[in-house]
Amino acid sequence: MFCVFVLLQEKPRTNPRETCIACQKTVYPLERLVADQHIYHKICFRCVHCNTKLSLGNYASLHNNVYCKPHFSQLFKAKGNYDEGFGHRPHKELKCHCLTVSPSTIQHSILCIIFYL
C-alpha cells in the first residue's frame, strides 16, 4: 500500500488595492510612491500650491498637504506660524496655563533669596 501526499501551494496573498491619496485611483507597484505614510502615484505627487512635480528629496508637508520647499518656506516659515490658514487657532491665541505672579511676590522672593545668601 502506497500513500501519496500532495502538497498544495498557497496562492500568494495580494494586498488589497491601494489608492492614491491625490486622485483616489488604484496604485500599481511600479508607479507607487510613499510619503508621510500616504500612497501616491509618482505623477500625482505634486505641490498643492504650484502643482510642481515633487520627489522624496524636495518636498515638505504640513497637515497632510505636500509642498515644494520654496513654497513651504514662503507660505509658512516667513510668518512663523505653521497653523495659520488651516483652521487652527494661532499659538498667540491659545490660553496660557502659566503661573501669574504679582510684582510684590517677586520682590518678596528676591528679598528672601538675598537674605538667604
Side-chain angles (χ1 to χ4, degrees):
M1 180 172 196
F2 291 99
C3 292
V4 177
F5 292 100
V6 178
L7 297 176
L8 299 175
Q9 288 183 339
E10 289 185 32
K11 291 182 181 179
R13 295 182 184 189
T14 57
N15 290 342
R17 289 189 179 195
E18 295 178 323
T19 56
C20 174
I21 193 165
C23 70
Q24 302 302 313
K25 294 182 181 176
T26 301
V27 177
Y28 297 102
L30 288 176
E31 56 189 7
R32 185 176 185 261
L33 186 140
V34 179
D36 289 338
Q37 300 175 350
H38 294 290
I39 298 169
Y40 295 88
H41 290 106
K42 290 178 183 176
I43 59 171
C44 292
F45 191 54
R46 297 180 173 271
C47 174
V48 296
H49 188 74
C50 68
N51 207 33
T52 300
K53 188 175 176 187
L54 301 172
S55 70
L56 292 176
N58 72 350
Y59 85 98
S61 67
L62 182 65
H63 299 294
N64 293 327
N65 290 317
V66 291
Y67 300 89
C68 59
K69 287 189 177 182
H71 280 123
F72 184 83
S73 295
Q74 177 189 356
L75 295 169
F76 307 110
K77 287 187 178 180
K79 294 179 183 176
N81 183 359
Y82 293 92
D83 290 331
E84 190 171 309
F86 288 100
H88 298 281
R89 292 175 55 193
H91 292 287
K92 62 186 174 185
E93 291 181 13
L94 296 175
K95 185 177 180 180
C96 179
H97 296 289
C98 302
L99 176 65
T100 54
V101 180
S102 66
S104 62
T105 306
I106 293 173
Q107 289 174 352
H108 176 72
S109 298
I110 292 172
L111 288 174
C112 290
I113 292 171
I114 293 171
F115 179 75
Y116 180 74
L117 294 173

